Structures are given as C-alpha cells and as structure tokens.
Amino acid sequence: MNKDLYLSPSLVTFADFSNLLGEVDNHIDAHKIAIAKYEDMLGVLLRGSGPDTKRGMTAFDQDTAMASAMEEEDARNNGSEEGWLILETEETNLKVATGSASSTRGKQTEALFKIIESLKARLVSLQKVRKLISELPGQGFNPNQKIVVMFRDGIPRQIIPSYESSKAVKKFKYSEQFDIQVLT
C-alpha cells in the first residue's frame, strides 16, 4: 500500500488503470477487515466481557451509550460537554473522557458506533468509485496510460491522465553508416 495514501489529500502516480484498481481493491479489503474488527470490539464491549466487568453492560448502560449522542449535541449547543475534559490549541482540540467506568464505557461504545458508521459509508464510496474507474477505458481512456490520482480521505477524487503509455518501450535508434568490404 502506498504510504502517501495515508496523507489527506495526496497525489499518487499509477502505471495504469489496473494498478489504480488494485489499490482501490486493497482499500476496500482493508475497510471490510477494519469494520469486522470494530464490530467485534463493540460486541465484546456490549456483552461486557472485558476485564473490569462481571455481567456485561446493563440495559441502563446500553441506553446511556445510545442516548449520549443526543446529549453531546445538546451540550455542544450550550457550550459545554458533560463528562469531557477539553484540551484546546489554536488549531484543534482534544477531548478526554472523564467520569465513572460506566460513563467512559458508554463513551467508548458511542465512539465505536461512530467509527463503524463512518467506515461503512467510506466503503460504499470506495465501491462506487471503483465501479466508475473500471468503466473509464470503455469511455475512450487508454487503460495502459500513466495516471496521476488525487486522493482525499483514502478515496480517489481526481484522475489526471498523462497520455504517456506505461507499456511503451523506448526504441534504440542508431544512426551511423557502415562500410563493409566484400571478402574475395
């Protein structure tokens, strides 16, 4: 996997459309694996089989985790956020969960739900973009040409063909004359 794709946005050159499709397929597979991993983590958390629980999350804990998104929105509107220590700089802020184990477990559950939802949305986008890219050669684009692709958040957003074939072999041309003597 190309390391530049971890940056957002990034500009990456591919030898041809098949290499780009291979990279998109790798992203699709990575998203599927990540979704399964986070769903497993969420399942473990909801069942409460972590080291600090004995019976699992109670119905109250689950309801608290599910309702915390609405509470967080209300708190944002009021200028404060219950259960969070907010560390700020000029460029960004960092939220640190505070409170009881039950409260932080609910925040972790909420974070996992958000991550899974985001990854699933990005997976759908990647699958749609992959289909569009695979149809480009049928629209007159040379499948063997080098292309430059602008990625944002791991999804191809712009494709810029170079009109230079990746399969072109440079030919050597020698321009000298020979005088050959005939042997008798």
Side-chain angles (χ1 to χ4, degrees), residues 68-88:
S68 64
M70 288 191 294
E71 291 172 6
E72 185 177 318
E73 184 65 31
D74 289 341
R76 238 185 262 131
N77 293 337
N78 293 336
S80 67
E81 295 188 43
E82 181 82 23
W84 292 104
L85 170 63
I86 300 174
L87 306 173
E88 297 183 59

Side-chain angles (χ1 to χ4, degrees), residues 16 23 65 87 89 184:
D16 55 30
E23 192 66 45
L87 306 173
T89 67
T184 53

Side-chain angles (χ1 to χ4, degrees), residues 149-173:
V149 182
M150 193 270 284
F151 285 83
R152 188 173 346 157
D153 299 326
I155 299 174
R157 302 294 182 170
Q158 294 179 2
I159 296 176
I160 306 161
S162 70
Y163 296 104
E164 177 185 337
S165 178
S166 65
K167 306 289 188 225
V169 177
K170 295 186 178 183
K171 296 181 182 179
F172 180 77
K173 185 177 180 181

Side-chain angles (χ1 to χ4, degrees), residues 14-15 31 53 58 62 65 71 75 77 87 104 110 116 125 129-130 144 159 163-165 180 183:
F14 292 91
H31 277 72
T53 59
T58 65
Q62 291 175 2
E71 291 172 6
N77 293 337
L87 306 173
T104 56
E110 178 186 344
I116 292 167
S125 294
V129 166
R130 195 225 183 273
N144 296 324
I159 296 176
Y163 296 104
E164 177 185 337
S165 178
I180 301 176
L183 295 174

Side-chain angles (χ1 to χ4, degrees), residues 31 34-36 38-39 42 66 69 108-125 155:
H31 277 72
I35 289 168
Y38 286 120
E39 285 176 338
L42 180 61
M66 299 298 280
Q108 185 177 359
T109 302
E110 178 186 344
L112 285 168
F113 274 116
K114 286 179 181 179
I115 290 168
I116 292 167
E117 182 180 307
S118 176
L119 287 172
K120 284 182 177 181
R122 193 173 299 160
L123 176 62
V124 169
S125 294
I155 299 174

